Amino acid sequence: MKKIMITGACGQIGSELVEKLRKQYGQNNVLATDIRKPANSTGPFEILDVMDAEKMLKLAKNFGADTLMHMAALLSATAEKNPVLAWNLNMGGLMNALEVARQLNLQFFTPSSIGAFGPTTEKEQTAQDTLQRPTTMYGVNKVAGELLCDYYYTKYGVDTRGVRFPGLISYVTPPGGGTTDYAVDIYYKALTEGKYTSYIAEGTYMDMMYMPDALDAIINLMEADGEKLVHRNAFNITAMSFEPSQIAAAIKKYIPTFEMDYAVDPARQAIADSWPNSLNCSAAEQEWSFKAQFDLDKMTKDMLEKLSKKLEVKAS
Ligand code: AKB
């Protein structure tokens, strides 16, 4: 990777990925694109609606990109509220991006998700290769996307790579429209209000990961020797699996007065119930040495430290 173009650069992953890649590969070697302008820009930026295939191709060509990271997508809860828009944007945007990668011979990354599994998949230690019958539009998009990326590799030789992300937790850019967002909101509310009402029910386990591990995973997979990759596009990765009362207990270690109660949102709960409790990551570990650094306690300590500085409040 030397000249990298990113779509969805202002999103939860994109905004941090751009900065990390600029530090690693040079400020001017990363072209950030999004449908809206970033508040601050640290390097080249262009407005791009991923439905505009012609503009995507032109930008990648003019920039001299050798890599395309396609991050623009609607997340699970938003997609469920507007399935037609989700299909058009998630699949149309991906198809446009894959076509650009094919025409310009670019290395390609796009994320899949734990949402690619459904209620008939085994819940615990979900295998890399297993039954995938998701019941959400987001899940349908993700499975189709995994297959489409495999197709572009086998049919055209495009160097497509990807991971199945769990819920991502970060203090930089808030997520929007996901089912796992509660695990980010809880830290904000713990610091600003000392209490949190969880829309996910007690006992609902989902896989999660701290953003620094997610960014390292993207870069390590992209840098990995392609000869050693068997799976390429949909590696299970995770750092931890917890349910709401466990993250609350982790926060309580640093904010002893923190309280949590529940007001379950049936729509997001139904999505969460259809997803695995924990993923098996052995394929990623074996094929490109994936290893997460942050567990729940380490992440909570770092999150509260960084977020209290950002929000200018003390964790107490
Ligand atoms: C969501 O909740 O929709 C995402 C995901 C797990 O893909 N965070």
Side-chain angles (χ1 to χ4, degrees):
M1 294 192 291
K2 285 185 207 78
K3 297 277 272 182
I4 307 155
M5 174 167 146
I6 304 184
T7 69
C10 298
Q12 192 204 10
I13 307 175
S15 54
E16 288 188 58
L17 182 61
V18 166
E19 294 315 312
K20 174 130 186 148
L21 292 172
R22 281 187 176 148
K23 274 198 196 108
Q24 196 150 330
Y25 300 99
Q27 210 177 1
N28 291 322
N29 290 328
V30 179
L31 173 62
T33 72
D34 202 291
I35 197 156
R36 60 197 158 95
K37 261 192 155 157
N40 305 302
S41 188
T42 58
F45 176 84
E46 294 285 347
I47 292 284
L48 174 66
D49 175 351
V50 292
M51 299 306 287
D52 187 344
E54 217 174 292
K55 184 163 179 189
M56 198 190 286
L57 180 64
K58 196 166 137 199
L59 288 178
K61 209 186 241 174
N62 291 348
F63 183 62
D66 60 26
T67 304
L68 179 57
M69 295 189 171
H70 177 59
M71 313 304 292
L74 289 191
L75 293 185
S76 55
T78 312
E80 219 37 39
K81 283 190 198 140
N82 202 337
V84 176
L85 174 67
W87 177 267
N88 289 338
L89 183 81
N90 290 352
M91 299 317 300
L94 177 60
M95 194 68 191
N96 290 341
L98 281 166
E99 267 302 291
V100 170
R102 180 184 70 77
Q103 288 173 53
L104 301 181
N105 192 25
L106 311 182
Q107 196 191 23
F108 187 81
F109 176 88
T110 201
S112 184
S113 159
I114 52 172
F117 298 111
T120 49
T121 307
E122 73 274 13
K123 281 262 174 211
E124 306 295 341
Q125 283 295 304
T126 300
Q128 174 66 43
D129 301 308
T130 188
L131 191 62
Q132 289 181 267
R133 305 292 291 172
T135 46
T136 63
M137 176 48 89
Y138 181 68
V140 170
N141 297 165
K142 288 300 179 190
V143 175
E146 292 178 1
L147 294 172
L148 205 53
C149 289
D150 281 348
Y151 179 83
Y152 268 71
Y153 171 66
T154 45
K155 175 127 180 132
Y156 302 116
V158 179
D159 184 4
T160 55
R161 304 184 184 200
V163 295
R164 292 184 183 127
F165 273 133
L168 297 180
I169 295 164
S170 150
Y171 60 89
V172 180
T173 307
T179 302
T180 57
D181 296 6
Y182 91 89
V184 180
D185 300 344
I186 193 171
Y187 288 106
Y188 279 81
K189 291 280 167 34
L191 285 168
T192 55
E193 295 174 20
K195 58 183 188 313
Y196 181 66
T197 300
S198 174
Y199 61 80
I200 293 292
E202 186 166 9
T204 310
Y205 282 84
M206 285 185 277
D207 282 289
M208 302 279 175
M209 183 180 279
Y210 199 32
M211 190 60 87
D213 279 330
L215 302 179
D216 283 344
I218 295 174
I219 293 173
N220 292 342
L221 173 58
M222 292 301 272
E223 298 270 351
D225 179 357
E227 298 285 310
K228 298 201 174 122
L229 299 183
V230 180
H231 288 88
R232 306 200 72 93
N233 287 307
F235 283 100
N236 281 1
I237 60 168
T238 187
M240 60 196 96
S241 165
F242 57 74
E243 54 90 23
S245 73
Q246 291 175 322
I247 187 172
I251 291 173
K252 252 177 177 291
K253 285 188 196 159
Y254 300 93
I255 309 178
T257 54
F258 175 67
E259 296 292 340
M260 187 175 72
D261 60 8
Y262 297 87
V264 173
D265 168 17
R268 284 178 287 185
Q269 184 63 40
I271 298 174
D273 285 340
S274 76
W275 290 354
N277 291 350
S278 64
L279 297 188
N280 181 305
C281 302
S282 51
E285 287 159 7
Q286 280 156 24
E287 291 175 41
W288 49 281
S289 309
F290 164 74
K291 191 170 166 31
Q293 304 297 328
F294 285 86
D295 62 13
L296 178 57
D297 281 330
K298 197 171 165 197
M299 172 180 76
T300 298
K301 185 170 185 290
D302 199 62
M303 221 16 219
L304 291 174
E305 267 169 28
K306 302 276 174 34
L307 207 51
S308 57
K309 271 194 203 124
K310 178 178 162 179
L311 301 173
E312 296 178 350
V313 289
K314 263 184 96 182
S316 58

